[in-house]
Amino acid sequence: MFVFSSIEQYHAQLQEGNITCVQAVEHYLQRIHLTKHLNAFIEVYAAEALQKAKNLDEKRKLGEPPPGKLHGVVIGLKDVICYKDHAISASSKILNARFPTDDGTNGRGFTSIYSATVVERLLAAEAIIIGNLNCDEFAMGSSNENSAYGNVLNALDETRVPGGSSGGSAVAVQAGLCMISLGSDTGGSVRQPADFCGIIGLKPTYGRVSRYGLIAYASSFDQVGIFGNNIPDIATLLEVIAGPDEFDSTVSQKENPPYSLELSNDQPFRFAYFNEALDHPGVDREIAFFIKKYIEDLKIKGHEVKPVAFDWFDYIVPAYYVLTTAEASSNLSRYDGVKYGYKTPMPNLELTEFYKQTRSAGFGKEVKRRIMLGTFVLSSGYYNAYFTRAQKVRKLLSEKIQLIFRDFDFILLPTSPFTAFKAGEKLHDPIAMYLADIYTVMANLVGIPAISLPLFKHSNGMPFSLQVMANHFNELSLLQISNRLVQQ
Ligand code: GLN
């Protein structure tokens, strides 16, 4: 039986002839079939993935040219990342979310007319894209309970949520349905589901990875992120997908180092942490206890680890929800039923009524809540009270974080204040759901890279993680320290 442990080992197995790409894809197709009830995949590209695997096997036999960095690596994509000629819907009815038809195939959804830059780069590196993955509608949510396709189940405890919004991407790696997956992280949507599922999740610096072909939620926060089982795999993926892109002017021209080749670094580092986070009334006591203990252990291992005063936790979630909903209300105005996607079947409506009917039926409850909230905070009477004020919080927070990075290499936080909760538990209390993001939104407000490392197990049986943040474009040192921490 095929067992995946890392890309490097898989490539060695391929070279030795112990496995073929076709066998690897067959293995995943079978696993996906056996775990269908988890609802991680929206669509599986079975025939196409097998054909691609066959081509790669043949190419390898010929020996020339040398295999790509992701040769035969089986990858899943969140349903917000465009793949030319493949349906995409952001798990929303407004993009004609597609459902199985009577013949067992998926109904037609909106089809991408081009591929995201990240997809082009995966394909150029010879990856095999096996399917696309369920998520919260338009990446809005923390539990994957806001999807037109229904909930995703956490494979470790099916009564619990996998986190969100990239819940399908997290479960696909957690349950061994692909080797690695891509999600998007606007306020924690890679790190928090990684935490809930016990895997690694990386959000790169804003501007490290192109957003071209990523369906927008909040454009000044959105970033493509990576789910994996080990740091070298994540490093390899990052070096493939990151770097300048003529289609996204917000991507930095900075050098994109070969992360996977430079992962060893034994020097002691300087870590900051916030007592205000660990003593926060909302954080699970066991999570706080284990992270404090871990901090003490880091000191014993020779690192400098110090508390820094940080009284921002009451402001960051509100600032995040004001700014992201404002951006979302603008970004989502394009879904009006005129050019593409769902349109109301009601006949003879005048234009405004047509929009109303289309958008009322096409968007789900949480998306509508956010469009209304975003429209409200941008409205002329309230603009200064909410939007401008939240922008000020963002600016001041960035300055505060820059001061911290003058003296420290990393900031340590929990990823989530609690472990994966039960399905339905927070569904009817949006504020409680939003507070799940208290430790993750900071990295998006400031634009810094952050990673969630599954180092702990709670007495309730669920995993939980340490979150490490670094300064802008310091992914290399972030991956270096992460590689050490997960191996200790
Ligand atoms: N949970 C956050 C939200 O609902 C994060 C979403 C995200 O990162 N896409 O907005």
Side-chain angles (χ1 to χ4, degrees), residues 24-273:
V25 169
E26 280 169 347
H27 162 84
Y28 287 111
L29 291 175
Q30 199 190 359
R31 294 268 321 145
I32 292 169
H33 181 71
L34 290 173
T35 56
K36 244 186 154 138
H37 66 288
L38 297 176
N39 204 18
F41 277 85
I42 295 171
E43 200 169 339
V44 182
Y45 313 139
E48 190 186 314
L50 279 170
Q51 184 57 49
K52 175 88 192 266
K54 208 165 149 232
N55 297 348
L56 291 173
D57 286 337
E58 277 160 19
K59 186 183 158 199
R60 223 178 30 262
K61 260 191 229 144
L62 298 174
E64 288 289 330
K69 270 189 196 168
L70 298 179
H71 182 90
V73 173
V74 179
I75 297 184
L77 299 177
K78 183 177 180 178
D79 192 35
V80 290
I81 299 174
C82 293
Y83 182 13
K84 191 173 190 295
D85 298 330
H86 293 74
I88 184 161
S89 67
S91 291
S92 179
K93 268 172 67 182
I94 204 126
L95 277 170
N96 281 334
R98 55 224 181 272
F99 294 96
T101 53
D102 291 341
D103 63 1
T105 59
N106 278 305
R108 267 189 80 73
F110 171 79
T111 300
S112 296
I113 53 174
Y114 60 87
S115 287
T117 296
V118 292
V119 171
E120 293 286 1
R121 291 182 182 174
L122 293 179
L123 295 173
E126 300 185 338
I128 300 174
I129 297 175
I130 192 153
N132 88 338
L133 295 157
N134 204 345
C135 60
D136 281 304
E137 184 178 7
F138 283 101
M140 296 175 185
S142 304
S143 62
N144 218 131
E145 293 171 291
N146 303 330
S147 165
Y149 305 100
N151 299 1
V152 176
L153 311 185
N154 190 317
L156 282 174
D157 176 348
E158 295 180 6
T159 65
R160 293 179 192 264
V161 301
S165 63
S166 317
S169 302
V171 171
V173 171
Q174 175 199 41
L177 313 181
C178 58
M179 294 174 184
I180 202 150
S181 67
L182 292 187
S184 64
D185 190 314
T186 303
S189 280
V190 168
R191 290 160 286 153
Q192 186 255 20
D195 172 288
F196 280 16
C197 292
I199 59 173
I200 302 172
L202 170 73
K203 180 200 93 73
T205 308
Y206 181 82
R208 179 61 99 181
V209 177
S210 170
R211 288 178 295 112
Y212 179 73
L214 169 68
I215 292 183
Y217 159 15
S219 310
S220 76
F221 292 74
D222 296 342
Q223 189 61 194
V224 172
I226 306 167
F227 291 93
N229 286 311
N230 62 71
I231 297 294
D233 285 1
I234 295 209
T236 305
L237 244 285
L238 184 65
E239 72 198 39
V240 169
I241 64 172
D245 177 23
E246 60 173 318
F247 296 117
D248 177 358
S249 59
T250 62
V251 180
S252 168
Q253 299 297 316
K254 276 197 168 47
E255 189 209 347
N256 184 38
Y259 307 96
S260 64
L261 303 178
E262 296 176 14
L263 283 177
S264 54
N265 183 342
D266 294 333
Q267 78 188 66
F269 284 112
R270 300 163 304 165
F271 295 92
Y273 68 95

Side-chain angles (χ1 to χ4, degrees), residues 191 203-206 223 398 401-402 405 411 440 442-451 468-475 478:
R191 290 160 286 153
K203 180 200 93 73
T205 308
Y206 181 82
Q223 189 61 194
S398 295
I401 298 297
Q402 282 314 309
F405 282 129
I411 296 172
T440 48
M442 189 173 101
N444 307 77
L445 280 160
V446 180
I448 54 178
I451 195 162
V468 190
M469 296 180 183
N471 206 352
H472 293 109
F473 299 104
N474 281 355
E475 279 87 354
L478 184 62

Side-chain angles (χ1 to χ4, degrees), residues 277-403:
L278 299 173
D279 298 332
H280 195 277
V283 66
D284 177 288
R285 296 328 306 158
E286 209 172 308
I287 293 181
F289 172 81
F290 274 104
I291 293 197
K292 281 183 184 169
K293 188 168 168 301
Y294 194 82
I295 285 171
E296 290 309 313
D297 289 350
L298 283 175
K299 287 185 198 162
I300 296 168
K301 289 189 178 117
H303 299 286
E304 183 186 319
V305 195
K306 287 189 181 150
V308 171
F310 189 81
D311 48 9
W312 286 78
F313 285 108
D314 290 344
Y315 305 106
I316 54 184
V317 172
Y320 167 82
Y321 277 94
V322 167
L323 296 173
T324 53
T325 56
E327 292 190 24
S329 72
S330 165
N331 272 327
L332 273 60
S333 62
R334 73 192 66 170
Y335 304 104
D336 58 11
V338 175
K339 294 201 192 68
Y340 53 82
Y342 169 83
K343 62 172 88 236
T344 177
M346 291 185 189
N348 305 326
L349 298 177
E350 58 92 22
L351 189 62
T352 310
E353 197 51 33
F354 170 82
Y355 288 155
K356 255 195 212 163
Q357 293 298 339
T358 297
R359 287 166 66 84
S360 298
F363 288 130
K365 198 169 167 190
E366 180 61 24
V367 172
K368 279 189 250 186
R369 181 174 8 244
R370 294 193 190 198
I371 292 174
M372 284 192 274
L373 195 58
T375 309
F376 174 76
V377 300
L378 288 174
S379 60
S380 62
Y382 297 96
Y383 188 89
N384 284 333
Y386 293 103
F387 187 74
T388 310
R389 189 167 290 198
Q391 289 284 35
K392 284 184 187 161
V393 172
R394 190 176 198 185
K395 178 83 175 27
L396 291 171
L397 178 69
S398 295
E399 287 169 8
K400 168 75 185 167
I401 298 297
Q402 282 314 309
L403 279 180

